[in-house]
Structures are given as structure tokens and as C-alpha cells.
């Protein structure tokens, strides 16, 4: 798995294979690779039925970088129909990964 280190300004590309880390230029990169960073995933999906073509959404739970990559392929194909309310779940169980996506704003 390839990830980009965010612990310093260098931004090394880290490769993790069978628990072994390569590509780090400092010890902070090594420690970054061993922690599994998760965060809420904010993105936009296609929106149909209004003048706006994209809808801002966020994940219902924190995702790892690997999960974000997987779910992005499903979101690229997703279309949400108007109207939606802010805070409404607009996409459920995306990619069978037990993650929903929630609208960030009201759109009619």
C-alpha cells in the first residue's frame, strides 16, 4: 500500500508491504506509517435535478486512506437526486463498506 506522509514538509511517499515500511526519509515517516490515520472524508458527488452539478458530502465515520481510495471509485459513479436537506443521508452503505454519506447543505 502506498501512502503520503503528512508528518513533515517533505511529504515522502511511503510504501507498506507485509508490515515493512520503505520510502521514509526521517523517523517521523516511519512512525506515521505505523499509525493508521483515519479521518472524516469530505468530497463532492454528482447532483441531478438542479442548476448545481455537485453536492458536498461527508462520510458518516472516519476512514483510513485505503478506504477513502476504495470508496472514491464508487462515489465517482454515484448520482444524488434533488431535493436534499442538510444532514440527510444521501448514499447508504457505499461499496458495502458500512459507510454512509451525508449531505452538507440543503439543495432544492
Amino acid at each position: 500500500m502506498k501512502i503520503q506522509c503528512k508528518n513533515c514538509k517533505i511529504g515522502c511517499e511511503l510504501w507498506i508491504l507485509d508490515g515493512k515500511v520503505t520510502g521514509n526519509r526521517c523517523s517521523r515517516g516511519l512512525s506515521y506509517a505505523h499509525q493508521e490515520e483515519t479521518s472524516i472524508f469530505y468530497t463532492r458527488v454528482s447532483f441531478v435535478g438542479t442548476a448545481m452539478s455537485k453536492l458536498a458530502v461527508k462520510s458518516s465515520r472516519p476512514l483510513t486512506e485505503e478506504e477513502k481510495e476504495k470508496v472514491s471509485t464508487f462515489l465517482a459513479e454515484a448520482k444524488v437526486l434533488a431535493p436534499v436537506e442538510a444532514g440527510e443521508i444521501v448514499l447508504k452503505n457505499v461499496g458495502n463498506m458500512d459507510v454512509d454519506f451525508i449531505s452538507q447543505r440543503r439543495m432544492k
Side-chain angles (χ1 to χ4, degrees):
M1 174 176 73
K2 180 178 112 176
I3 61 172
Q4 183 172 2
C5 181
K6 298 174 186 167
N7 268 356
C8 70
K9 294 179 183 180
I10 297 172
C12 300
E13 286 188 358
L14 305 176
W15 290 88
I16 305 169
L17 183 60
D18 297 328
K20 182 176 167 125
V21 179
T22 58
N24 60 302
R25 296 188 214 165
C26 67
S27 61
R28 290 191 293 182
L30 188 58
S31 66
Y32 179 84
H34 288 294
Q35 69 183 16
E36 186 168 24
E37 181 179 288
T38 63
S39 62
I40 297 294
F41 185 39
Y42 294 89
T43 190
R44 297 180 338 157
V45 294
S46 294
F47 193 60
V48 180
T50 185
M52 301 291 283
S53 63
K54 296 287 185 180
L55 174 68
V57 295
K58 70 176 185 174
S59 62
S60 59
R61 66 174 178 83
L63 302 175
T64 64
E65 292 298 320
E66 187 175 323
E67 288 174 321
K68 289 175 187 177
E69 287 180 23
K70 287 180 184 177
V71 83
S72 290
T73 60
F74 292 100
L75 293 176
E77 303 293 322
K79 295 189 186 317
V80 176
L81 301 174
V84 298
E85 295 294 325
E88 178 182 345
I89 295 175
V90 292
L91 298 167
K92 294 185 178 188
N93 195 21
V94 175
N96 290 324
M97 295 177 59
D98 193 32
V99 61
D100 301 330
F101 279 82
I102 303 164
S103 170
Q104 292 293 282
R105 61 183 288 190
R106 180 179 185 209
M107 302 276 279
K108 288 189 172 191

